[in-house]
Amino acid sequence: QKEVEQDPGPLSVPEGAIVSLNCTYSNSAFQYFMWYRQYSRKGPELLMYTYSSGNKEDGRFTAQVDKSSKYISLFIRDSQPSDSATYLCAMSVGAAGNKLTFGGGTRVLVKP
Amino acid sequence: EAQVTQNPRYLITVTGKKLTVTCSQNMNHEYMSWYRQDPGLGLRQIYYSMNVEVTDKGDVPEGYKVSRKEKRNFPLILESPSPNQTSLYFCASKRGQANYGYTFGSGTRLTVV
């Protein structure tokens, strides 16, 4: 069983809809949670970074962490065709160092 | 422009023929790392380096070598490539210890036949 599970999609939504993405994980020691966006033929870029449980909002993006359920979510409001990409969750035990555990990524398609 | 540059972007090679994928960053970052990305498996770390001449294994180091002789460069070496090393490879760098700070290159798609 993988430590971090993520539905590969594709998730297809009409422009303007809310995109809802999630990851589940098995390691209760994870405390730091990240979401990356990866466009085709590009490397991942950091979207959101959160610590422990709770919500974090940045523009159209909201990240939620529920440590009791070992479940994290990313919501994209007012989705645009430019949001079409693969979204990867990643997590770590500590704040520092080199050990990140990634999910497999969810491909999102926002149709005009 | 601050960036991580990998070369080549695409490579097809034959089993057993040694190859090197280069990685260079212009941000004076101490930390550099190599990842491979396979469908459904996400990114898995191959090797990382905390500074010049300091390297350590990641989760999947078998079949790979790295060196860090200069701060800006971190080449990935496959001494005897095999088909199971067919993958998309990413180099990344970051300045400090914070684990969210990586800047990724655009990737190298390697096919070993």
Side-chain angles (χ1 to χ4, degrees), chain A residues 2 8 32 34 36 38 41-46 49 86 88 92-105, chain B residues 9-10 31-33 35 37 40-43 45 48-50 59 88 90 94 97-102 104-107:
Chain A
K2 289 187 283 187
Y32 297 85
M34 287 140 271
Y36 285 83
Q38 185 177 17
R41 290 186 289 277
K42 292 289 187 183
E45 56 180 338
L46 182 69
Y49 174 78
T86 296
L88 300 150
S92 66
V93 172
N98 291 282
K99 180 61 177 172
L100 286 181
T101 303
F102 283 85
Chain B
R9 290 294 308 274
Y10 302 91
Y31 290 80
M32 298 187 75
S33 188
Y35 289 86
Q37 185 175 32
L41 296 179
L43 284 96
Q45 192 177 55
Y48 64 91
S49 169
M50 290 175 281
D59 294 320
L88 180 58
F90 288 100
K94 60 175 179 160
Q97 291 191 7
N99 57 19
Y100 57 81
Y102 273 119
F104 285 83
S106 294

Side-chain angles (χ1 to χ4, degrees), chain B:
Chain B
E1 181 189 352
Q3 58 185 0
V4 177
T5 303
Q6 296 177 227
N7 280 296
R9 290 294 308 274
Y10 302 91
L11 179 60
I12 301 174
T13 190
V14 296
T15 299
K17 185 177 181 182
K18 181 179 179 180
L19 67 91
T20 299
V21 183
T22 64
C23 174
S24 181
Q25 50 94 4
N26 61 1
M27 296 168 281
N28 201 35
H29 285 171
E30 292 86 9
Y31 290 80
M32 298 187 75
S33 188
W34 275 102
Y35 289 86
R36 60 177 288 173
Q37 185 175 32
D38 301 290
L41 296 179
L43 284 96
R44 294 178 293 167
Q45 192 177 55
I46 303 170
Y47 269 95
Y48 64 91
S49 169
M50 290 175 281
N51 215 321
V52 175
E53 303 290 3
V54 182
T55 64
D56 207 348
K57 297 177 181 178
D59 294 320
V60 288
E62 295 77 19
Y64 304 95
K65 282 177 57 176
V66 292
S67 67
R68 186 95 181 271
K69 293 184 171 58
E70 304 167 284
K71 196 172 188 179
R72 63 183 292 127
N73 296 323
F74 190 43
L76 179 69
I77 302 156
L78 285 73
E79 296 265 356
S80 183
S82 62
N84 65 12
Q85 292 178 298
T86 292
S87 187
L88 180 58
Y89 292 86
F90 288 100
C91 180
S93 72
K94 60 175 179 160
R95 179 173 304 283
Q97 291 191 7
N99 57 19
Y100 57 81
Y102 273 119
T103 299
F104 285 83
S106 294
T108 295
R109 184 165 293 282
L110 172 66
T111 302
V112 184
V113 299

